[in-house]
Structures are given as C-alpha cells and as structure tokens.
Amino acid sequence: MSYELLIGDRSYSSWSLRGWLLFAAFDLPVRVVVNEMYRDSFRATLDDWAPARTVPVARAGDGALWSDSLAIAEGLAERHPDIAFWPKDPAARALARSITAEMHSGHTALRSACPMNLRVKWEGFAPDDAVLADLARIETLWAAARRLAGDGPWLFGAYTVADAFYAPVAMRIAGYGLSVGAGAQRYVEAHLAHAPLRAWRAEGEARDRTLEVYDMGLPTAPFPMS
Ligand SMILES: N[C@@H](CCC(=O)N[C@@H](CS)C(=O)NCC(=O)O)C(=O)O
C-alpha cells in the first residue's frame, strides 16, 4: 500500500511531527507533501485533501483518507497488523491507548504556553501553575507506562504510537528548559537521540521559514539536539 502525508512546517507543527513519526518510526514508506502554514495557499491545499481542515492528513493509494493524527494511528495499525504500533500486552496496550488519547485531547496548558519550536531553546521561560500541573500529570503517565515497559528506552520499552504522540512534549521540555525528574529526563533524551526525529528536525532547519508568530520574546540558545 502506498501512502501520502500532508504536513505543516516541520520546525513548528507538532501534530504533523506525530503523523510523520507514525510512518518513519515504523519504517513505513510515505510520500510527504508540505503545506506551509500561515500562507494563503494553506486552506486551498487542504481542499485538495477534503474533508481535512488541519495538518497532518494521510491518504492511502486506495483513496482512504485520515484527517487527524489519532485517526492516522488507528488506520495504520488496522492495515498493518504485522507492525507493533501498540504494545502486545493487553494491560500495556490499554494504558498506551489511554495516555495517547489524553495527549490528543489534553495537556492544553502546556500546549498553549509552549508551542513546539525545534529551532531554538528558550532561556528563562517561567512555567505557570497550569503548565506545572500538566507536567506533573505527564510524569505520572510516563511513570505508569514505564512500570509496564519491556526492554528499551520508550514508554513501553519498544517504540509505540504513545511515543510518537509524546515526542513533541519531549521537545517542549527540552526546548523550554522545563524541569522534570530523572526518569522523565531520560525519556526526553531518548527522543533527542531518535534518528527519525533528528532527520525531521534537520529537514525543518534546512527548509522552513522562521515563523515570527512562535517568537516567545525570550533569549535563545541552540536547540539541544546537536
Ligand atoms: N486534532 C488534530 C489537530 C491538528 C492541528 O491542529 N494541526 C495544526 C498544525 S500543528 C493546524 O493544522 N493548524 C491550522 C489551523 O488550525 O487552521 C490532529 O490530531 O491531527
């Protein structure tokens, strides 16, 4: 089966990163099409992928279309039962689905206060109480996953959909210098070392415009992914 994936600007579009990791981290080939955000052409391009309203959007060679990151995950898992998108163990799989769904629908304070930006590290960012509460909740979820994990650095040992969904959270922790415990920090570092994510960031560095809308007005340092 062939696939196409419509994404936004790699340096900034966290949902696009999730969608792309669902292919790249599982060695599933996909033809990527970039739809630059904040351009007049953005909506018109989405019209070609109707009924999509946002990026990412995935389309299979047989015409099936998924216009949401979680739908892409479920669609690919259904079509490729040979690929371990979710943990095999039922209890781990239930938790993986739960924490992925919670990422998809929640952690809104962190998401709105700290837009993903893979180009810079912001210095002196001061998280408010709502962001700290989201971080505490995320650490609770990650620790619960690790208690069910097999071998490997990811939430459930081997890389699963849950890791693709939390990759942009790890990038926010790294990029805003957010303080987390040792276990969570190790998990953030696993993402920083993850070859597909590094390739995504390098492509964004090479191709993307700087989007001023994501400027936090803080001093910057290099993004901590060398
Ligand atoms: N629930 C969607 C969210 C997708 C989303 O909000 N994408 C952003 C880019 S990161 C977007 O397309 N924004 C443009 C807009 O909302 O007009 C998903 O999981 O895919």
Side-chain angles (χ1 to χ4, degrees):
M1 180 57 62
S2 64
Y3 293 103
E4 294 177 297
L5 181 71
L6 186 69
I7 61 167
D9 306 61
R10 290 177 177 84
S11 304
Y12 306 103
S13 178
S14 61
W15 294 108
S16 297
L17 170 57
R18 292 180 178 97
W20 180 80
L21 284 170
L22 294 169
F23 293 90
F26 297 92
D27 292 324
L28 206 49
V30 65
R31 188 177 84 86
V32 173
V33 181
V34 178
N35 187 15
E36 292 187 331
M37 302 185 299
Y38 305 100
R39 294 255 195 231
D40 291 344
S41 54
F42 183 76
R43 292 272 145 229
T45 301
L46 282 171
D47 287 346
D48 296 337
W49 297 66
R53 297 295 299 157
T54 54
V55 285
V57 193
R59 191 156 55 192
D62 62 5
L65 182 141
W66 301 274
S67 56
D68 180 283
S69 58
L70 195 51
I72 297 170
E74 293 300 357
L76 295 181
E78 178 187 284
R79 284 171 177 239
H80 299 279
D82 49 315
I83 299 177
F85 282 102
W86 296 106
K88 289 266 177 281
D89 172 70
R93 192 161 66 248
L95 183 62
R97 284 188 192 279
S98 300
I99 71 174
T100 299
E102 185 164 335
M103 170 65 248
H104 190 253
S105 63
H107 311 319
T108 48
L110 174 68
R111 279 163 51 194
S112 64
C114 306
M116 190 184 83
N117 186 332
L118 301 180
R119 305 203 123 191
V120 291
K121 178 173 187 220
W122 300 111
E123 298 285 14
F125 176 77
D128 65 15
D129 287 349
V131 171
L132 292 174
D134 274 355
L135 277 175
R137 173 67 182 162
I138 287 163
E139 286 201 67
T140 298
L141 297 176
W142 288 359
R146 289 295 303 166
R147 282 196 287 279
L148 299 184
D151 288 342
W154 304 110
L155 288 173
F156 295 92
Y159 198 97
T160 68
V161 170
D163 299 297
F165 274 72
Y166 279 95
V169 172
M171 293 304 95
R172 288 169 159 105
I173 290 170
Y176 288 79
L178 301 173
S179 176
V180 291
Q185 190 58 40
R186 272 196 302 279
Y187 179 62
V188 169
E189 278 155 23
H191 283 288
L192 289 169
H194 190 213
L197 202 151
R198 294 171 72 85
W200 168 274
R201 179 171 174 272
E203 189 75 18
E205 275 289 285
R207 292 184 45 145
D208 290 348
R209 306 152 293 157
T210 299
L211 293 180
E212 301 299 338
V213 67
Y214 295 114
D215 186 352
M216 298 295 290
L218 292 169
T220 62
F223 193 80
M225 185 187 266
S226 52

